[in-house]
Amino acid sequence: MDLPNALIDQLRATFGDAFVTDEAERLVYGYDNSRREALPDAVVFPTAHDQVVALVRACRAHKVPLTARGRGTNTTGASVPIAGGIVVSFERMNRVLAIDPANRLAVVEPGVLNADLQIALRSHALFWPPDPTSAPYCTIGGNLACNAGGPRAVKYGATRDNVLALRAVAGSGEEFRCGKPTTKGAAGYDLTRLLIGSEGTLAIVTEATLKLTPLPPAMRTMRASYADVESAAAAVARIMAQPATPCALEFLDGEALRLARTHGGDAIPNAGAMLLIEADGDEGTLDVAIAAISHAARGEGLIELTVAANAEEVTRLWAARKALSPALRTLSPKKINEDVVVPVSRIPELVSAMRDLSTRHALPIVCFGHAGNGNIHVNLLPRDDAELARADACLDEVFDVVIRLDGTLSGEHGIGLAKRDFMPRALDAGALALMQRIKDTFDPDGILNPGKLLPDRISP
Ligand SMILES: Cc1cc2nc3c(=O)[nH]c(=O)nc-3n(C[C@H](O)[C@H](O)[C@H](O)COP(=O)(O)OP(=O)(O)OC[C@H]3O[C@@H](n4cnc5c(N)ncnc54)[C@H](O)[C@@H]3O)c2cc1C
């Protein structure tokens, strides 16, 4: 689209050199980790909240699409500007504004990288729990918009559970603050939680007050391998049913282990399934927690249970998980990684259904992920064009299985472009209609990240 001249003049006046239209520069802001791309007409780099207010109001006045961008690491096309218009990159709004140990909170701009925040918090013996593997390259703004999480979510929750307040600008151009720097609050609708996971479709976040947690002084790692997925899933259920909550409870199916062995070697167990379990806390209480979790991990089908004695052994126990990503990439550069969620007790049904789909579509599928949350990464691994063609139909059936098992489309990656057409299957019609009306209220002209998260409107 051609940007209106009046808008260009206004943005030049507001942003100066931080408004770019050169094609070579725009190219860099048109893609994300989903491998989709679309060229924006301009990119702006705000450094202050007031600039974002001016930007949203100008875009609304001219009905020009506006897509927020952290570092483009999302996997769903959420930051690809498919309708053109303007990309607002938060890479220059990257200050940690305050760290307040007494109130266990930090105030940050949206462009702060997750890992940079964790480093800044370390000297205060605090951390922010969301721990995506992409932490060194992804922003807090992106974490908020996707409700990002990682292994620690089983104990500490994902992004939505670790935010106190936000400052934002709705698509209508209205600026607002929601939430408070307190851990309790009962005044009205919870707009903070509503914005988290909304993928930049309702409002642009310009500041976040994050809830911090004391760094546990010690951590232990253990690995349990099982004859089959059913035994491992039964162990997950037993572990989650007792009071010592692990801070990571990761699962790999037999196919994932077999592939990891091709890269990681004999240190990786030859088993039907494996759990990696971590517990954290005081040295004094950790022995008790480890004993309780080990007891729960033992049961029918257990082949081996090892507790790491030192840092070297921790690395050895994590070897299978670390070897997996390179192994998958080598086997299938076009792998499709879905992060579905099912109730924990239904993991065996999910994995068994994936084995059936793999046979029926003649397509390798491996499952691994955050078992304690029932958040399983189902990886479809097409090795050639014929398998790639079959992967689409297979993916359709993957989502049918997940919904039949009372699960949902995404545990942490979000919906973006990739999964929006499946939303009518995952949500009931009433909830979807309310979501559409919420979108219309926040963003009456539909300028914010158009074409994402919600399916196209069905005419009455
Ligand atoms: C190697 C790798 C590992 C990963 N591992 C994990 C993992 O373990 N767990 C996990 O949850 N995810 C993971 N991800 C996915 C991704 O890193 C996360 O979704 C992350 O939160 C995206 O952050 P980002 O800064 O890259 O945001 P982007 O990809 O740039 O944007 C993501 C969404 O956020 C919106 N957005 C960005 N900033 C704002 C803002 N200020 N206001 C409103 N909306 C905004 C965008 O419009 C878009 O909808 C991984 C990705 C990679 C590449």
Side-chain angles (χ1 to χ4, degrees):
M1 73 186 297
D2 285 333
L3 294 179
N5 286 334
L7 176 64
I8 293 175
D9 291 345
Q10 203 174 336
L11 295 182
R12 283 224 167 93
T14 307
F15 288 97
D17 289 348
F19 169 73
V20 303
T21 52
D22 180 59
E23 184 172 342
E25 293 199 60
R26 285 186 284 137
L27 271 172
V28 185
Y29 295 89
Y31 72 94
D32 66 21
N33 187 40
S34 70
R35 298 188 211 99
R36 292 173 173 81
E37 51 188 308
L39 196 60
D41 296 286
V43 185
V44 296
F45 303 92
T47 50
H49 169 85
D50 288 347
Q51 286 183 329
V52 179
V53 176
L55 172 69
V56 177
R57 288 181 182 166
C59 285
R60 184 173 182 206
H62 294 280
K63 302 211 175 0
V64 166
L66 180 60
T67 302
R69 183 182 178 88
R71 291 297 173 101
T73 65
N74 81 87
T75 60
T76 65
S79 56
V80 174
I82 49 163
I86 294 176
V87 163
V88 49
S89 167
F90 283 98
E91 65 199 68
R92 297 186 197 173
M93 253 175 111
N94 62 351
R95 288 175 306 158
V96 175
L97 300 172
I99 295 175
D100 177 354
N103 287 305
R104 289 193 183 173
L105 63 82
V107 183
V108 300
E109 291 183 330
V112 172
L113 297 183
N114 181 307
D116 286 350
L117 174 65
Q118 310 294 1
I119 291 165
L121 295 174
R122 216 172 278 157
S123 59
H124 301 274
L126 293 165
F127 74 109
W128 188 53
D131 58 340
T133 317
S134 51
Y137 343 98
C138 68
T139 65
I140 304 294
N143 296 169
L144 295 165
C146 297
N147 191 22
R152 283 197 296 237
V154 64
K155 179 167 181 178
Y156 297 104
T159 298
R160 194 174 272 135
D161 307 301
N162 290 285
V163 178
L164 299 174
L166 296 173
R167 188 179 196 194
V169 188
S172 60
E174 290 157 285
E175 53 179 319
F176 62 99
R177 286 182 184 272
C178 50
K180 285 283 164 194
T182 59
T183 48
K184 289 184 88 176
Y189 301 131
D190 192 343
L191 296 184
T192 309
R193 287 176 78 87
L194 177 61
L195 291 195
I196 296 167
S198 67
E199 301 182 11
T201 62
L202 300 179
I204 307 275
V205 174
T206 58
E207 188 186 292
T209 304
L210 307 177
K211 179 180 162 196
L212 307 178
T213 300
L215 261 179
M219 166 130 54
R220 300 271 172 80
T221 303
M222 63 184 115
R223 180 178 81 185
S225 54
Y226 296 88
D228 47 46
V229 169
E230 288 71 16
S231 310
V236 170
R238 288 194 300 272
I239 292 168
M240 294 308 291
Q242 54 81 51
T245 308
C247 63
L249 180 46
E250 299 289 295
F251 160 85
L252 281 80
D253 75 357
E255 195 52 26
L257 285 173
R258 196 183 61 73
L259 279 174
R261 277 170 71 83
T262 61
H263 269 249
D266 292 345
I268 294 164
N270 187 2
M274 190 185 101
L275 299 178
L276 267 169
I277 311 161
E278 285 190 327
D280 62 10
D282 295 327
E283 273 299 353
T285 56
L286 211 44
D287 283 343
V288 179
I290 287 292
I293 295 172
S294 304
H295 179 72
R298 286 176 211 283
E300 208 180 308
L302 178 76
I303 298 173
E304 174 224 27
L305 178 71
T306 312
V307 181
N310 51 43
E312 239 167 53
E313 272 194 50
V314 171
T315 312
R316 194 175 61 80
L317 296 191
W318 274 96
R321 183 65 185 77
K322 303 269 182 225
L324 194 55
S325 275
L328 297 184
R329 221 171 300 123
T330 308
L331 183 72
S332 171
K334 294 194 171 156
K335 76 178 166 111
I336 299 168
N337 173 7
E338 290 304 338
D339 77 316
V340 301
V341 199
V342 294
V344 170
S345 61
R346 309 204 75 172
I347 293 173
E349 286 170 83
L350 175 74
V351 177
S352 155
M354 294 306 110
R355 275 199 299 253
D356 291 348
L357 287 182
S358 172
T359 308
R360 200 146 46 73
H361 290 274
L363 184 69
I365 300 182
V366 306
C367 297
F368 63 94
H370 316 304
N373 295 106
N375 181 198
I376 302 298
H377 293 282
V378 173
N379 281 260
L380 277 50
L381 303 171
R383 291 160 296 186
D384 55 35
D385 287 347
E387 288 186 348
L388 192 59
R390 291 199 294 277
D392 268 350
C394 182
L395 189 58
D396 213 70
E397 292 191 50
V398 169
F399 291 133
D400 276 344
V401 168
V402 167
I403 289 159
R404 179 167 54 75
L405 296 177
D406 210 13
T408 195
L409 303 175
S410 170
E412 53 185 26
H413 291 169
I415 300 300
L417 274 173
K419 279 168 277 185
R420 69 182 201 124
D421 290 340
F422 296 102
M423 288 286 268
R425 272 194 243 174
L427 300 180
D428 71 59
L432 210 48
L434 279 168
M435 284 192 190
Q436 189 64 66
R437 294 211 289 279
I438 289 169
K439 165 76 175 165
D440 292 344
T441 301
F442 273 79
D443 182 19
D445 291 306
I447 59 165
L448 290 189
N449 210 0
K452 311 295 172 58
L453 199 151
L454 293 172
D456 283 338
R457 272 167 219 261
I458 300 158
S459 316

